Amino acid sequence: MPVAQAFRPYVILNAAMSLDGKIATPTGDSRMSSAADMRRVHRLRASVDAIVVGLRTLLVDDPKLTVKFVEGYKPYRIIVDSHARTPLASYVVRTARDVPTIIAVTSTAQRKRIEALRERGVTVLVCGKGPQVSLTFLLRRVRMLGIRRMLLEGGGTLNWSMVSNSLVDEISVAITPRILGGTGAISLVGGTGAPRVRDGVKLKLLSSARYGPDLVVRYKVLNPGPPSH
Ligand SMILES: NC(=O)c1ccc[n+]([C@@H]2O[C@H](COP(=O)([O-])OP(=O)(O)OC[C@H]3O[C@@H](n4cnc5c(N)ncnc54)[C@H](OP(=O)(O)O)[C@@H]3O)[C@@H](O)[C@H]2O)c1
C-alpha cells in the first residue's frame, strides 16, 4: 500500500452514464441526469467537504460545482490542472471569493498563471514536479486542510487515475436509459485499463434504486488504500 494513502479523505466517485458506459457524447454533451437524480447529486454534494474535477471537465462544461436545493453548504471546489490552464473567465475562478476554490498544479505551471489565479482568490497547491498532478500528494494536502470526505465528479481520465491509484472508496453511478455509442466518447473511466478481468478493480454492490427514469447503483471499492477520518 502506498504510504500517502494512509492519510487522505474518504473519496466517493459519482457520475451519470448511459447504459453503454459513456459519460458524454462524442461532441462532449454530458447533461444526462434526470431532475430526480440531480437532487440526489446535490444532496451528495451537501454531504462532502470538497468536489474535485479534472481540467477537461472544467474546459468543456464550465461547471459551477456548488450545492443547490440544500441551504448553507459550500464545499471546496478542486480542479486538477497540472499547468494552471484554468481560464480566468471560468465560473469557478470568477466566484472564488465566494466559494473556496483550489487549483492543483505541478511545479511546471507558469508562475504568472499561478499569481493571476491567487489574485482572484484561488488557493493554488503545487502537487509534485511531474507532468501531471500527484494525486496522492494532493489528497494528503487537502486532508491537512480539514477535507475528510470528497466527491470525485470526473471526467473519465481523472476517474481512471484515481481508481487505478486506489484512491476511491465508493462509487455511485446513475444509469440513464440511453445508448450513446461513439468509439471516442468518454467512458466512466478511461486510461490504460486492466489487462485481464481479474486485474480489474473489485467492487461490492451496496444498493440500487430508481431516481425517476435513472437507476442509481452504489458500490464499495474493495481493498482501496485506507482513508483517515
Ligand atoms: N456524465 C458525467 O457524470 C460527467 C462528469 C464529469 C465529466 N463528464 C464529461 O467528461 C468529459 C471530460 O473528461 P476527460 O476524461 O476528457 O477529462 P477529465 O478527466 O475531466 O480531465 C483530465 C485532465 O485532468 C488533468 N490532470 C492533471 N493531473 C491528472 C492526473 N494525475 N490524472 C488524470 N488527469 C489529470 C489533465 O490535464 P493537464 O495535463 O493539463 O493537467 C487531464 O487531461 C467532458 O465531456 C465532461 O462533460 C461527464
Side-chain angles (χ1 to χ4, degrees):
M1 176 198 44
V3 173
Q5 291 177 15
F7 196 66
R8 65 169 176 82
Y10 185 86
V11 177
I12 303 164
L13 186 166
N14 184 74
M17 80 177 189
S18 60
L19 183 61
D20 53 328
K22 307 296 186 188
I23 60 169
T25 66
T27 63
D29 184 15
S30 63
R31 287 160 300 170
M32 59 181 93
S33 280
S34 63
D37 187 52
M38 283 313 294
R39 287 185 178 274
R40 177 193 67 84
V41 171
H42 283 275
R43 278 198 301 277
L44 187 55
R45 284 183 178 182
S47 77
V48 299
D49 305 306
I51 304 164
V52 58
V53 298
L55 175 68
R56 284 208 296 265
T57 294
L58 182 115
L59 295 177
V60 173
D61 297 342
D62 193 19
K64 291 191 169 72
L65 304 176
T66 51
V67 179
K68 270 196 277 184
F69 315 123
V70 193
E71 288 295 310
Y73 289 95
K74 281 190 185 179
Y76 278 89
R77 302 177 294 198
I78 304 175
I79 316 302
V80 181
D81 170 14
S82 315
H83 311 291
R85 291 195 291 134
T86 298
L88 301 181
S90 62
Y91 185 88
V92 293
V93 175
R94 284 189 282 114
T95 56
R97 294 206 189 279
D98 299 328
V99 185
T101 304
I102 293 172
I103 298 187
V105 304
T106 70
S107 58
T108 62
Q110 281 182 9
R111 211 180 172 76
K112 251 172 51 185
R113 291 289 303 170
I114 293 179
E115 275 162 19
L117 291 165
R118 286 187 173 144
E119 276 165 18
R120 285 160 178 79
V122 172
T123 301
V124 179
L125 297 180
V126 179
C127 301
K129 301 175 188 162
Q132 290 211 305
V133 168
S134 162
L135 298 171
T136 48
F137 188 93
L138 169 64
L139 264 60
R140 199 187 315 143
R141 284 290 300 275
V142 300
R143 179 64 187 79
M144 286 160 74
L145 293 176
I147 294 172
R148 290 169 169 265
R149 200 171 141 87
M150 177 185 273
L151 185 59
L152 167 61
E153 292 203 13
T157 305
L158 182 62
N159 287 349
W160 168 258
S161 290
M162 290 284 291
V163 165
S164 61
N165 280 296
S166 305
L167 297 172
V168 175
D169 301 284
E170 202 178 306
I171 299 178
S172 47
V173 175
I175 302 170
T176 197
R178 287 193 192 264
I179 290 175
L180 296 176
T183 309
I186 306 281
S187 302
L188 178 64
V189 294
T192 46
R196 294 165 301 186
V197 172
R198 69 165 188 249
D199 300 318
V201 175
K202 278 196 199 135
L203 309 174
K204 181 183 173 205
L205 183 65
L206 294 177
S207 65
S208 60
R210 282 185 76 145
Y211 284 77
D214 300 335
L215 174 66
V216 176
V217 282
R218 276 183 59 235
Y219 292 91
K220 182 93 192 131
V221 178
L222 299 179
N223 310 319
S228 154
H229 290 286

